[in-house]
Structures are given as C-alpha cells and as structure tokens.
Amino acid sequence: MTDASSQYHVPVMLAEAMDGLNIRPDGTYVDVTFGGGGHSRAIMDRLGPDGRLFAFDQDEDAARRVENGEWRVEDAARFTFINENFRYLKNYLRLHGVRKVDGILADLGVSSHQFDVAERGFSTRFNGALDLRMDRRNGTTAADLVNNATEEELAEMLRLYGELPNARQMARAIVRYRECKEAQGSEKESKGIATTSDLKEAVRRHLPHGMENKYLAMLFQALRIEVNGELEALKAMLTQAAELLTDDGRLVVISYHSLEDRLVKNFMKTGNFEGKEEKDFYGNPLSPMRMVSRGAVKASEAEVAANNRARSARLRVGARRKVNGEK
Ligand SMILES: C[S@@+](CC[C@H](N)C(=O)[O-])C[C@H]1O[C@@H](n2cnc3c(N)ncnc32)[C@H](O)[C@@H]1O
C-alpha cells in the first residue's frame, strides 16, 4: 500500500478479509467497493500472472485515482476498474465476458476521503452542501430529501435507517425549520435546508446532552442510506454474488451498521434476507450460500486503537454451495 492510498483510506481488517477470500493465484476476484484501493492492492499482491481483479466504485473520486495513475497498476491486463454501482455487478461483469468468479469482497459504506471532503456533506464536522451522494452523476441529494419529504416520511426514514429514538420529534423540527427558512427567504434564495449546518441547527434542541455527536451521526446515516439506496443496492449485490460465485467461491462482507450486517448474516445463512431456512423434500438446505465465519468477526483492539473506523466494523465470510439439482 502506498502512502497516498493510506491517506485516502486505511483498509479495515485487511488480513481477515484476505483470509476470508482464500485467494487462488489464478482466480478471478471482485472488489465491489474499491475506495482507496487498499483491499484491491492486497488482492493484486496475492494474484499470479493468470489471476484477475475487477473493482467497482460508483464514486468519481475513486475512479480518478485509477485514471490519474495515483493507484499504481503495474499490470493493467490483470486489473479492470468499473466506475459503477455494485447493484449492476452481474451485468458489468458480463460486459467484460465474466460469468463466474472465485471471490467477492464488499467493504461497505463510505471512505475516509468521502468523509474528509466538506462539500460532499458526509461529515457532521464541517459545514458543506447537504449532498451525501456517493455517485454525484445522478439522484436526489440529502437537501432535496429533507426539503421535500413529508414529516411522516422523514420520521419513518429516521426511525428505520437511523434507529433514532426521537425520530418523530426530529422530523417535526426539520419540517418547522425548513418552513421558517422558506418564509424568511426572498423568492430567489428560499432554499430551505441547504447545508449540513442548516440541518444541525434544525435538530439542535433534539440532541440529548452528551450524545450530540452520536445522534447527529445517526441522523446523517439515515439520510445517507436513503439518498444512496444503500440497502437495496446491498440486497441486489448479494443476490447476484450468489449466482456469480463458483462452487465454494468466497463472499466477504464488512459492514458498519446493524441494518447492513443483519441482511448479510441472513443471506449467508439462508440465502434470503428474512433469515428463513428453507429445505427441499429430503431436508437439504435450499440456500445457495453457507456461512464460513463463526459469528461476526471484529477488528482487533490494536486495529481499533490505530483506526477508529474499525470500531464498528463486522466482517462475515460466506461460501457458495452447490444446490441439489443445479448444473
Ligand atoms: C469503505 S470504502 C472502501 C474502502 C476500500 N476497501 C479501501 O481499502 O480503500 C467504501 C467505498 O465503496 C463505495 N461504494 C459504496 N456503495 C457502493 C455501491 N453501491 N456501488 C459502488 N460503490 C459503492 C464508496 O463510494 C466508497 O468509495
């Protein structure tokens, strides 16, 4: 790993992820969340001349690193970067003539770089546009969302995706604040809530004393999940991963909040997102996946001390199993 990539993002649970992938030097692998390329670099280092790595990231800043050569690729024939959402994993791999892969890695959420750029709006630390899109080529920003959603929609989103105990009060405060701003503003600049500071100001009275940062992080998490359709993309990717993996091919997922981790755990155990075990007439499990890791793997104390982002990380390893009757 180069210095530049460690500044962009320090990879979390690198050794555990590589163990989980169980890399074959001549295999084909996919890193669906390239970010700063720390995990991708470690995969490349384990591949021989016939191995291949495909990396996805929907963020143009990640793509620029590859395009500008900030992420060194000694052997371009072995590495392909795809600047797209991993919800289209199967289609883009097919475009490259790939129908089966030996391992897939997903290190979910946002990179440190995304957090550190004020105008992307990911961090509660800075004042910036309330954007929160990972892919700025399309979609609704968080500002659009908080200015246009109804109070009920906001409350539901904050409850579901932020797990905020006072979601209803926060939603009400956001709606009051935006109405106030709109009433005050001239026609030209009646933007309601436009910046991260506006949003923080709107909910200020609803942040319990001593837990201000925690509640703000939960609020921003909720908006980020909604703006980026994160849970839908994760479900689509997991479903396609099971179809793409060769027998015993590995799926390694690192998640950073319980909503993601629950989907990953259920899917690896049962092949569906409800965690419902289904069996055939003879009692054989119908799931295309089996769980390899025992429980969720957490980062070591030493890693958490060195990299605070590792604190909430949960890594799970699943493998593709041959389902009865399948060709
Ligand atoms: C935690 S970072 C990955 C860091 C990376 N493992 C490393 O070692 O540098 C997550 C990255 O995944 C990307 N990402 C998140 N969801 C995505 C999606 N649905 N499709 C494509 N990229 C996504 C983000 O843009 C971000 O760059």
Side-chain angles (χ1 to χ4, degrees):
M1 190 173 54
T2 63
D3 283 352
S5 67
S6 56
Q7 280 158 19
Y8 190 101
H9 182 90
V10 178
V12 168
M13 286 200 266
L14 189 59
E16 295 85 340
M18 293 308 115
D19 275 358
L21 279 176
N22 196 21
I23 294 174
R24 282 184 20 205
D26 61 346
T28 298
Y29 291 84
V30 191
D31 175 355
V32 297
T33 50
F34 178 80
H39 285 107
S40 277
R41 166 68 54 223
I43 297 173
M44 288 293 282
D45 287 346
R46 285 161 178 77
L47 290 178
D50 297 327
R52 289 199 73 181
L53 174 64
F54 291 85
F56 283 71
D57 203 301
Q58 60 181 332
D59 190 328
E60 62 198 18
D61 288 355
R64 211 168 295 126
R65 281 171 65 71
V66 179
E67 282 158 18
N68 295 350
E70 286 162 58
W71 196 82
R72 149 186 73 86
V73 192
E74 313 83 349
D75 185 359
R78 293 189 304 151
F79 177 75
T80 306
F81 182 81
I82 300 168
N83 186 198
E84 290 296 339
N85 194 307
F86 61 53
R87 67 162 75 208
Y88 308 119
L89 177 64
K90 206 171 146 186
N91 277 349
Y92 280 99
L93 287 179
R94 194 176 299 158
L95 266 179
H96 288 272
V98 176
R99 286 173 187 271
K100 284 283 168 194
V101 301
D102 299 289
I104 298 174
L105 169 71
D107 175 20
L108 301 171
V110 281
S111 67
S112 307
H113 169 80
Q114 287 164 328
F115 267 122
D116 289 342
V117 178
E119 74 262 18
R120 310 247 352 219
F122 284 103
S123 173
T124 59
R125 281 178 292 154
F126 313 115
N127 185 24
L130 190 61
D131 188 327
L132 283 162
R133 284 171 304 165
M134 290 189 211
D135 183 348
R136 283 179 286 180
R137 290 168 298 191
N138 53 36
T140 309
T141 66
D144 297 331
L145 202 69
V146 293
N147 286 315
N148 296 310
T150 64
E151 187 179 319
E152 288 69 30
E153 286 165 347
L154 282 172
E156 184 66 358
M157 186 170 74
L158 301 189
R159 190 181 61 75
L160 268 179
Y161 297 159
E163 302 181 288
L164 277 155
N166 60 353
R168 188 150 288 284
Q169 290 102 302
M170 282 229 192
R172 192 169 310 138
I174 291 171
V175 170
R176 288 233 176 98
Y177 186 90
R178 85 184 181 205
E179 285 171 355
C180 233
K181 279 273 289 233
E182 273 159 16
Q184 280 166 6
S186 67
E187 221 167 82
K188 240 179 162 181
E189 47 170 22
S190 67
K191 286 205 192 96
I193 296 173
T195 63
T196 51
S197 296
D198 287 341
L199 181 64
K200 281 157 74 173
E201 179 58 25
V203 299
R204 189 168 48 87
R205 292 207 185 89
H206 300 279
L207 306 173
H209 183 62
M211 296 174 80
E212 290 86 351
N213 289 339
K214 184 165 186 228
Y215 272 60
L216 280 176
M218 289 155 95
L219 170 62
F220 275 61
Q221 171 184 294
L223 294 177
R224 208 194 76 205
I225 292 178
E226 176 72 23
V227 164
N228 296 292
E230 290 183 27
L231 300 182
E232 294 77 15
L234 175 60
K235 285 183 182 175
M237 185 273 287
L238 291 172
T239 307
Q240 293 165 42
E243 295 164 16
L244 284 161
L245 286 170
T246 49
D247 286 347
D248 216 35
R250 293 295 178 87
L251 173 63
V252 177
V253 185
I254 308 174
S255 32
Y256 295 85
H257 57 76
S258 55
L259 298 168
E260 287 170 345
D261 186 49
R262 198 172 309 139
L263 291 177
V264 173
K265 176 175 144 189
N266 285 344
F267 188 75
M268 286 184 179
K269 264 190 169 162
T270 64
N272 59 61
F273 300 109
E274 296 74 40
K276 219 173 80 203
E277 273 198 61
E278 289 168 334
K279 298 198 168 160
D280 69 8
F281 182 74
Y282 303 101
N284 302 310
L286 282 171
S287 172
M289 298 296 296
R290 66 181 172 84
M291 188 72 99
V292 173
S293 52
R294 295 178 109 238
V297 181
K298 296 183 191 168
S300 67
E301 277 178 31
E303 180 172 358
V304 174
N307 179 9
N308 193 41
R309 273 187 58 81
R311 187 179 27 92
S312 52
R314 302 287 178 269
L315 179 147
R316 292 185 191 269
V317 183
R320 164 82 202 185
R321 85 158 112 219
K322 197 166 182 183
V323 179
N324 265 358
E326 225 182 51
K327 288 186 196 124

